[in-house]
Amino acid sequence: MKVRTSHEKEPAFIFLPYLLWIGLFVIAPLVLILGYSLTDAHSHLTLQNFAAFFSGGTFLRMMANSFWYALLITFFCLLVSYPAALALTRLKNQQFWLMLIILPTWINLLLKAYAFIGIFSRSGMVNQFLGLFGIGPVGIMFTDFAFIFVATYIEIPFMVMPIYNSLKEIDPALLSASSDLGASFWQTFRYVIWPLSWPGVESGIQAIFIPSLSLFMLTRLIGGNRVITLGTAVEEYFLTTMNWNMGATIGVILIALMLIVMLLTSRKQHKKEIEL
């Protein structure tokens, strides 16, 4: 019986399905979008679409809005997810609690959005509760608060999981050593737990911030016309005005912004000694 050694190369055809998948569903769409962005309605090469984007205040405001909303959603996700993940590592039956956190991700995004429409509407559960105290009805729908709240709720599981995994990988002996050296809980958290869990935080930030830049369904259903981002602009140009060239241009800029965010959040942190 012949045993394959680590130095022997795998047959090239094994990678063929993977290469076909990448070529058809990743590279080809990107090339198509780039081609539309560099042409006009008559398929002539031009940079006019990019010039219109960067010279128009409307598009720049959309880009600023996209960054601002993505930053807020990521911040609130981290604010909720880190304490939740830290608490999970100290609970019994952790797999059960993790399942409860992951369970909402199995529900269709559109269904969750319509559920919140019912909850936040003028006759919904929130206004009914406020009515018990003589308050309301309050217009919660189509506000920045409603959009950020719903987006944060939907994306929290994608922040909790990587942070939880990083916290679980921390050697308990390090925490014991920190305590033995006289460090308080906050000193241990600052100098031991937080730095060692940073890879999970970094992954969570990427998982939340990057998709949040291009949200469009929630901006329409929950935010209404008050929340305008690059994601809604792409939808508008492709489905309403049918200006695919400008829509593709915004898409290319969104992809570039996402790559920049990935590069910035993937930089390796330099190790340094810290005195407790």
Side-chain angles (χ1 to χ4, degrees):
M1 179 177 178
K2 184 179 179 180
V3 179
R4 184 183 300 275
T5 64
S6 58
H7 299 286
E8 295 184 31
K9 295 183 178 179
E10 296 288 346
F13 70 85
I14 291 180
F15 302 101
L16 186 59
Y18 172 76
L19 294 175
L20 286 174
W21 179 274
I22 294 296
L24 290 174
F25 299 106
V26 178
I27 297 177
L30 289 176
V31 171
L32 188 62
I33 292 174
L34 183 61
Y36 270 109
S37 68
L38 294 174
T39 56
D40 57 18
H42 304 288
S43 300
H44 297 148
L45 287 174
T46 179
L47 293 176
Q48 184 60 37
N49 296 321
F50 289 94
F53 181 94
F54 289 105
S55 63
T58 301
F59 292 114
L60 295 178
R61 281 195 297 271
M62 287 181 184
M63 185 167 64
N65 283 342
S66 298
F67 266 96
W68 176 242
Y69 286 122
L71 185 64
L72 287 177
I73 293 168
T74 304
F75 171 75
F76 286 117
C77 281
L78 180 60
L79 194 65
V80 174
S81 300
Y82 200 99
L86 190 60
L88 273 174
T89 60
R90 305 185 179 189
L91 292 176
K92 296 181 179 179
N93 303 319
Q94 294 178 19
Q95 297 304 316
F96 170 75
W97 296 109
L98 279 175
M99 184 189 69
L100 292 183
I101 292 174
I102 297 172
L103 196 61
T105 64
W106 300 354
I107 302 173
N108 183 271
L109 176 62
L110 190 61
L111 292 177
K112 287 186 282 190
Y114 276 112
F116 273 103
I117 290 175
I119 293 172
F120 286 155
S121 65
R122 287 188 171 273
S123 58
M125 293 174 56
V126 173
N127 274 311
Q128 289 180 10
F129 176 76
L130 293 176
L132 298 176
F133 303 95
I135 304 173
V138 179
I140 303 174
M141 282 296 299
F142 308 131
T143 62
D144 291 350
F145 165 80
F147 168 67
I148 294 171
F149 183 92
V150 175
T152 301
Y153 164 79
I154 289 173
E155 296 183 358
I156 276 178
F158 303 103
M159 178 76 81
V160 171
M161 289 305 300
I163 295 176
Y164 170 80
N165 290 331
S166 289
L167 290 171
K168 287 292 290 183
E169 292 177 358
I170 297 177
D171 190 346
L174 295 175
L175 305 181
S176 300
S178 176
S179 178
D180 292 341
L181 290 171
S184 65
F185 170 79
W186 291 112
Q187 286 176 317
T188 301
F189 175 80
R190 179 181 177 184
Y191 296 116
V192 180
I193 298 176
W194 175 257
L196 293 177
S197 64
W198 175 249
V201 174
E202 193 175 69
S203 299
I205 290 174
Q206 289 182 351
I208 304 302
F209 190 90
I210 293 174
S212 297
L213 282 174
S214 57
L215 286 175
F216 71 92
M217 182 187 297
L218 293 180
T219 56
R220 290 295 191 192
L221 295 177
I222 306 297
N225 293 325
R226 286 181 54 85
V227 179
I228 304 298
T229 63
L230 290 180
T232 55
V234 171
E235 179 199 23
E236 184 76 18
Y237 277 101
F238 271 103
L239 300 181
T240 304
T241 64
M242 302 302 291
N243 186 349
W244 288 20
N245 303 97
M246 195 63 206
T249 302
I250 300 172
V252 169
I253 293 171
L254 262 176
I255 293 171
L257 293 175
M258 292 176 184
L259 291 175
I260 292 171
V261 171
M262 288 184 65
L263 292 173
L264 291 176
T265 55
S266 297
R267 291 181 302 176
K268 293 183 178 179
Q269 301 295 314
H270 297 287
K271 294 182 178 179
K272 58 181 180 179
E273 294 183 359
I274 299 174
E275 294 182 2
L276 291 177

